[in-house]
Amino acid sequence: MSRIGYEKVRTGCLTCKKRKVKCDESKPTCLKCRKSGKECAGYITAPVGSISWSRLLSSGHSRSEERSLDLFRDVVGPALLGPVASSSWTATMFQLSRQENGPARDAILSISLLFESSSSSNAAVPGSPSPPERQQRAAVLYYNRALRHVATEQHDARMVLCLSVMFITIELLRYNPRAAFEHCRHALHILQGSDTNGDIFKIVLAIFRHLSVFPSFIGTTLSDYHLVPENETITYHGFKHIFEASEAMDSLMSRSARLVREFDLFRQGPLATSMPTTSLLTSWHYLRQDLNAWYSGLSAVRRRPRVLVVAEEQSLYRILELRWLLCDIWVDKVLFPEETRYDAYRGHFERIRDLAKEEADTIVLCGSSDESSLPAEKGLAPILHFAALKCRFLKLRLEILVLLQRMVSNGEAMWDSATMEAVGRRIIGLEHGIETNSEQSIDSLLESCLMEDPVVPSEEQRVENFYLEDDTHMSPLPSGPKMQRRPVHFVFGRSSQGPRIKVKDWIILPA
C-alpha cells in the first residue's frame, strides 16, 4: 500500500486521457496541462488497499527504501521541477534509480530523505516513519555510498552527468552551495567534451546554465568555472510559452555574468588603462540586442489571453523579470567604471522592490513558503542583495534590504542570509554615515528615514567591492551575548584617476 497519500495513475490525468495525449503525470497537477493552458482535471484516486507498482515490482528492497523511492516519484521529483527542468528530468532520474545497487538509486534515496527531513516537507508529507535527524544521517550514508560508486567504477558520460545533477541537488538541499558548484564545475568539464545533442544532455545543460550564474554570489569567481556551452537553438523572441522564455533567460544570465567578468579586466585589472577589444564590444552589442528582444518576447507572452491563470506561473513571470532587470543593469554598467552610474538605474531598483514585494506578499497569501523547492531555483536573495548594495537612495535600499530578510525566511537561506544582511548593514553605515548594529532592526532604520532621500554618497564614499575572510572571532557585545566578528576588506571607488582605497573592517554575525 502506498505510504505517501496517493498513488500514481499510469494512464495520466483525466484531461490528457480525454485529449488522447501522453501525460507527464506530474503532481499535484499535470505539467503538460499547465504549459498548454488547459485546466488539469486531476487523477483518479487509488482505491483503499491498492498496491503501488513500485512495491509489486520491487525485488527485496526494504519497505523504507521503497517508500523513499515512491516519495521521490510522486512528491519530491515534481517539487524539484523548476523553470529549468522538464518532466523528463524526473522520469530519467527515477528510471536510473530502479537499477539494482547503483549510485543513482543511492543518490535518489538521499535526495528523498533530505527533502522529507526539512520542516516544511515533513508538514507536507505527514506520517514520516523516522525523525528528521535520523533521516539526515541516513541521507548522508546513501550519498557517501553513491560517491564511492563513482570513485571506484567506470560510467559513461550520460550517467556521470545525471549523477552530477543528483549530487548538486543533494548539496543544495544540505545548504552547501560551494560543494554543489564543485560538482557543477566537474560536470561542465565533461559537457565540453561530450555530444550535447541528446535529450539528457540538453536537460543537464539547461540546469548547469542556470546554476553557473550563482558562484559570483558566494565569493567564487566565474573564471573558476568552465564556460557553459551555448545552445544554438535558443531564441530570444517569439516564445510559445513562458518555459521557453525561462530557458532563454538562463542563457542570457550566463552570458551577462561572464561579460561582466571579461570587462572587469579593462576596468579594474592589469588592462585598466586599455580599451576593450573589438570582439568584446561586439559581444556586448549582440547581448544588448538579445536582452531587448527577450523582454519584448516575454511581454508578448504575458499579454496573451489565458484560459487558466496559475499562481506559480505568475510567480515565474515576476522572477524572470527580476533576472532581466539584473542583467540589464549588469550589461549597461560595464561601459561605465564609475559607481555613481548606478544612480541612473533608480527605476530598475524601484521595479525590483515592487516585484519582490509582490512575490513576498503572494507567498504569505498562499500560507506557505517555497522551502520544498531547490534553494537555487528562484535565486531572489542574490538579486535583492545586489540591489541593496548598489542602490544608493537610502530609503529605497533599506526597503530592498527588508524584502531580502523576508525572502530569506521563505526558503532562500542558501545564500548565507546572516552574512548578506551584515554586509549590507555595514556598507549602508559606511556610505551614509549612520551607525547600525545587529540588534537594531532594518524596519526601525527605515522608519527613521526622512521622506525625501538625503544626498547620495560621492564616488569616493562608495564601496565598489568587498572581500570576506574565512576566519571569525568570538567577542561579547556590550549588552551581553557573544557575537562573531568576521574580517572584511572594503574597496572604495576613486575620483578621476586616483588610487582605490582598501580598508579592513569587520561585520557582526550571530554566534
Side-chain angles (χ1 to χ4, degrees):
M1 184 185 300
S2 172
R3 301 283 296 279
I4 60 174
Y6 52 75
E7 291 295 325
K8 181 178 284 291
V9 179
R10 292 298 176 185
T11 54
C13 73
L14 297 176
T15 302
C16 289
K17 188 175 181 181
K18 185 176 181 180
R19 294 170 59 204
K20 296 183 179 179
V21 298
K22 185 179 169 122
C23 179
D24 58 80
E25 303 184 16
S26 297
K27 301 288 185 176
T29 58
C30 167
L31 182 63
K32 184 164 288 187
C33 290
R34 296 204 303 269
K35 285 185 176 181
S36 61
K38 304 290 183 182
E39 182 173 1
C40 183
Y43 300 87
I44 300 174
T45 304
V48 176
S50 61
I51 306 296
S52 67
W53 278 108
S54 60
R55 189 62 45 74
L56 288 171
L57 297 176
S58 65
S59 56
H61 299 324
S62 69
R63 292 176 64 87
S64 61
E65 290 183 347
E66 283 299 326
R67 179 187 180 281
S68 292
L69 293 174
D70 276 351
L71 184 68
F72 178 86
R73 182 195 64 197
D74 289 339
V75 178
V76 182
L80 295 178
L81 288 178
V84 300
S86 66
S87 59
S88 54
W89 185 85
T90 304
T92 301
M93 300 305 174
F94 188 74
Q95 183 181 14
L96 289 173
S97 73
R98 305 310 300 180
Q99 297 178 0
E100 295 296 319
N101 301 320
R105 180 175 173 277
D106 289 332
I108 291 295
L109 289 171
S110 179
I111 292 171
S112 188
L113 287 166
L114 286 170
F115 181 93
E116 191 176 2
S117 67
S118 68
S119 59
S120 61
S121 301
N122 269 307
V125 187
S128 298
S130 303
E133 296 79 7
R134 185 178 299 177
Q135 290 177 322
Q136 291 171 9
R137 288 196 298 269
V140 172
L141 291 176
Y142 282 120
Y143 181 33
N144 288 336
R145 194 161 71 181
L147 290 172
R148 284 197 298 271
H149 275 292
V150 174
T152 58
E153 300 171 359
Q154 290 291 330
H155 300 283
D156 58 26
R158 180 178 182 274
M159 171 62 85
V160 173
L161 288 173
C162 289
L163 290 171
S164 296
V165 172
M166 296 179 193
F167 294 160
I168 290 169
T169 304
I170 290 170
E171 294 295 0
L172 292 179
L173 289 172
R174 297 177 68 197
Y175 291 96
N176 189 359
R178 291 186 181 275
F181 292 127
E182 283 305 309
H183 285 304
C184 185
R185 184 161 65 98
H186 175 67
L188 290 177
H189 179 73
I190 296 174
L191 266 177
Q192 284 192 320
S194 305
D195 178 14
T196 57
N197 292 325
D199 289 339
I200 186 59
F201 287 95
K202 292 179 181 178
I203 295 168
V204 172
L205 190 60
I207 293 172
F208 291 152
R209 184 182 293 112
H210 180 78
L211 292 175
S212 67
V213 175
F214 295 105
S216 57
F217 294 113
I218 60 168
T220 306
T221 63
L222 288 168
S223 57
D224 295 334
Y225 290 78
H226 293 278
L227 180 64
V228 182
E230 287 301 324
N231 188 344
E232 297 180 356
T233 62
I234 291 180
T235 58
Y236 301 103
H237 56 83
F239 305 124
K240 296 179 182 178
H241 46 71
I242 191 173
F243 297 96
E244 285 187 350
S246 177
E247 181 183 9
M249 174 46 61
D250 283 332
S251 176
L252 288 173
M253 283 201 76
S254 179
R255 290 170 59 190
S256 299
R258 189 159 294 277
L259 186 77
V260 170
R261 180 62 55 191
E262 291 174 346
F263 264 94
D264 277 347
L265 295 175
F266 297 93
R267 294 186 304 167
Q268 303 172 5
L271 303 177
T273 59
S274 306
M275 290 293 294
T277 62
T278 303
S279 61
L280 188 56
L281 291 173
T282 301
S283 298
W284 177 91
H285 176 74
Y286 284 121
L287 180 55
R288 178 76 272 168
Q289 284 186 334
D290 289 339
L291 282 168
N292 293 338
W294 182 92
Y295 190 79
S296 298
L298 181 73
S299 300
V301 173
R302 209 167 192 170
R303 291 192 300 265
R304 207 169 292 161
R306 285 283 190 280
V307 177
L308 178 67
V309 178
V310 183
E312 61 189 36
E313 191 168 310
Q314 295 303 314
S315 176
L316 182 53
Y317 277 121
R318 287 190 288 270
I319 293 165
L320 291 178
E321 186 176 349
L322 280 165
R323 292 178 182 174
W324 179 85
L325 288 165
L326 179 66
C327 291
D328 199 53
I329 295 174
W330 278 354
V331 173
D332 183 75
K333 173 63 174 62
V334 295
L335 299 180
F336 304 92
E338 299 82 11
E339 283 291 302
T340 50
R341 176 65 184 180
Y342 284 109
D343 297 346
Y345 310 121
R346 179 166 186 165
H348 282 58
F349 292 131
E350 289 174 343
R351 183 61 176 164
I352 288 173
R353 175 201 60 193
D354 295 342
L355 289 170
K357 187 177 186 303
E358 287 180 23
E359 184 66 18
D361 291 344
T362 300
I363 292 173
V364 173
L365 186 63
C366 294
S368 63
S369 68
D370 196 25
E371 293 180 8
S372 60
S373 65
L374 275 177
E377 282 299 333
K378 288 187 176 180
L380 296 182
I383 295 175
L384 291 173
H385 185 234
F386 171 83
L389 296 186
K390 297 304 182 181
C391 173
R392 268 64 179 220
F393 304 99
L394 181 58
K395 186 171 183 293
L396 178 56
R397 80 190 305 186
L398 287 175
E399 290 173 340
I400 294 172
L401 198 58
V402 169
L403 286 167
L404 173 61
Q405 288 181 320
R406 290 183 63 187
M407 297 311 302
V408 161
S409 66
N410 288 315
E412 293 271 338
M414 167 187 170
W415 308 106
D416 193 352
S417 57
T419 302
M420 274 185 168
E421 181 183 337
V423 170
R425 280 174 177 270
R426 188 60 186 140
I427 289 179
I428 289 173
L430 291 171
E431 292 187 346
H432 295 276
I434 58 177
E435 290 296 328
T436 65
N437 59 70
S438 58
E439 296 177 320
Q440 184 179 13
S441 69
I442 303 297
D443 293 282
S444 64
L445 286 174
L446 186 55
E447 290 173 1
S448 64
C449 282
L450 301 174
M451 293 302 294
E452 297 295 329
D453 283 321
V455 177
V456 295
S458 65
E459 181 72 21
E460 297 89 336
Q461 292 174 308
R462 301 191 182 203
V463 175
E464 185 178 281
N465 211 337
F466 67 92
Y467 306 94
L468 288 164
E469 293 185 14
D470 290 332
D471 60 325
T472 58
H473 308 280
M474 299 297 295
S475 60
L477 290 179
S479 58
K482 286 188 175 182
M483 305 292 283
Q484 294 184 77
R485 297 173 74 244
R486 184 172 181 181
V488 58
H489 299 265
F490 293 117
V491 181
F492 286 84
R494 60 182 180 179
S495 60
S496 184
Q497 295 299 317
R500 289 182 173 84
I501 299 176
K502 296 182 180 180
V503 176
K504 184 174 181 178
D505 207 300
W506 288 265
I507 56 174
I508 306 298
L509 301 170

